[in-house]
Amino acid sequence: MKLLKVLVAVLVMAAMAVPVIAEDRLSLSGEMRVRAGHIDGDFDGDTDDSTDTWANQRLRIAGKIAVAEGVSVTFRTDITEGTNWGDSSNFQNGLSGAIGPIRTNGFGHARSGAQQQWDRAHLDITKGIFHLRAGQQYVGTGGTFAVDTQDSGLSLDIAAGLPVNVFMIVDKDGGSTDVQDSFLYGASVKLKPVKVFAAGYNDFDEDVYLLGASGSFDLGAIKLFAEADFFDGDASATQEAFGLQMILDASLAASDAATVGAQFFYAMGDDEDVQYVRLGNGFNGYDPIMDVGTSLSNEEIGLGNPFDWTGDDAGVIGARLYGNVKASDALKFGVSLAYLTVEEDSVTDADIMALAAGMVYTILPNTTFQLQLQYTDGSYDKESGVTVANGDFDVFAAATGLFVKF
């Protein structure tokens, strides 16, 4: 491990053209994953039926350099992420609308496996009750991820009685035209067990505000989580922004090895204005419908954000039942059954039933084999502007992978 630390420190510091630091000041973590997936979609009366099978990989390396007491530098890089094995084009996963897990081609030109991205690079300074983070970083509210972004900016934590966080992210630099700069900013206060937060985003004629509150309540065997988010403002010079969404999650520890739970989702739809479900670039993603405890559903075979699952500003009324079982120290299972429909059906009338099952098996220390199977069945009916034919559809999806954490 010490040799690996030294090699990574040399490579990273050489790339940054700064002196190499001593290895005992560098801590490393990360993950290597190799995944494969398959999707088979059937759409009545449509020519876009799709069957696709693929494999890909990602090596993630994160490092923290302890510069001095209260001062550190953090980096994280993802290597060979972005293309499938044997494919030189990038993929964008998921189709907007009721189709959810169907994948479409993009237009990248890089050689397969050649991509590398640096998604975090920030410094942290802690002095007294203040903790400042500056640089490229992740900022999010958790829960429904009403704020969810990874970009460059400032974040300040103040530990004075009630923990407070304030942040300002530069979403876009307009250069010499300052009026075209865009910012994401906000603040949160933890009032245990409740967190209250507010945020705003502005970009030319877009000016949107968010107010939200979430709470986690531990009642022994029963655990509750609830969140409500409200969006308002201007989506553009001609359209208003709106958003009212809520989730209630109740789980019960049926035994030491089994947990069962239920979730209820609600989001108001609108046939005139633009529905917002989050502020930010959506780096982390919010994709709970197919979550059965694996690391396979969020990126390639998930349904996406449930609050606007059709992509038509139609909102949602939905419920989900889920369960997790720890069969042994090495083997875990998860199952989920969900039903979603739209809250506003004046333009889009759609509903979906989603079933998922997953397994995580620890084959060696820090090494897991994972498997997930999904089936969705539903209908989609929109008056105009559809990208897929109206009618019934069903989609089967499967994914598997090896994951090594270090």
Side-chain angles (χ1 to χ4, degrees), residues 140-392:
T141 53
T144 67
F145 292 90
V147 174
D148 180 19
T149 196
Q150 184 158 272
D151 220 325
S152 298
L154 301 170
S155 176
L156 178 65
D157 295 308
I158 305 173
L162 298 175
V164 176
N165 171 265
V166 294
F167 66 88
M168 188 278 294
I169 299 295
V170 180
D171 184 71
K172 183 178 69 178
D173 180 6
S176 60
T177 308
D178 289 339
V179 71
Q180 294 183 359
D181 293 344
S182 59
F183 299 92
L184 172 63
Y185 53 91
S188 64
V189 181
K190 292 183 180 179
L191 311 165
K192 291 185 178 180
V194 175
K195 179 171 70 173
V196 180
F197 51 89
Y201 176 78
N202 69 283
D203 180 17
F204 201 49
D205 289 325
E206 185 180 9
D207 202 1
V208 184
Y209 302 95
L210 161 68
L211 293 175
S214 64
S216 298
F217 307 91
D218 190 342
L219 307 178
I222 299 176
K223 292 180 173 55
L224 300 176
F225 174 80
E227 180 168 334
D229 309 310
F230 175 71
F231 299 85
D232 196 11
D234 297 319
S236 67
T238 58
Q239 288 185 296
E240 293 184 1
F242 83 97
L244 176 60
Q245 60 194 35
M246 293 176 284
I247 180 177
L248 177 62
D249 185 332
S251 62
L252 169 67
S255 68
D256 291 340
T259 299
V260 295
Q263 294 174 327
F264 172 75
F265 301 91
Y266 173 82
M268 184 181 296
D270 195 300
D271 59 357
E272 296 180 354
D273 302 322
V274 178
Q275 181 186 358
Y276 278 71
V277 299
R278 70 165 183 265
L279 298 181
N281 55 33
F283 177 85
N284 198 68
Y286 181 55
D287 194 3
I289 300 302
M290 302 294 191
D291 183 4
V292 289
T294 75
S295 302
L296 296 164
S297 63
N298 182 263
E299 295 181 19
E300 303 220 351
I301 60 170
L303 184 68
N305 192 304
F307 295 123
D308 185 23
W309 65 279
T310 64
D312 297 326
D313 302 330
V316 68
I317 299 174
R320 173 177 177 256
L321 300 175
Y322 63 90
N324 299 288
V325 176
K326 184 178 179 180
S328 67
D329 289 340
L331 185 59
K332 300 177 183 178
F333 294 99
V335 294
S336 171
L337 176 63
Y339 173 78
L340 304 178
T341 188
V342 295
E343 194 275 337
E344 175 57 64
D345 62 1
S346 61
V347 175
T348 300
D349 188 7
D351 68 311
I352 191 171
M353 185 76 72
L355 175 65
M359 177 191 77
V360 177
Y361 177 54
T362 301
I363 56 178
L364 288 168
N366 300 322
T367 305
T368 59
F369 169 77
Q370 303 186 23
L371 174 68
Q372 181 154 335
L373 305 176
Q374 299 175 185
Y375 178 75
T376 56
D377 182 81
S379 63
Y380 183 76
D381 184 9
K382 186 175 180 179
E383 293 183 1
S384 63
V386 293
T387 57
V388 296
N390 294 340
D392 297 334

Side-chain angles (χ1 to χ4, degrees), residues 389-402:
N390 294 340
D392 297 334
F393 63 90
D394 62 87
V395 179
F396 171 76
T400 187
L402 289 169

Side-chain angles (χ1 to χ4, degrees), residues 50-80:
S50 176
T51 298
D52 190 14
T53 304
W54 71 94
N56 55 37
Q57 68 188 53
R58 182 190 71 188
L59 172 60
R60 168 169 287 176
I61 300 175
K64 182 177 181 180
I65 304 167
V67 178
E69 183 177 356
V71 182
S72 64
V73 173
T74 297
F75 66 87
R76 195 175 84 178
T77 181
D78 292 340
I79 305 169
T80 65

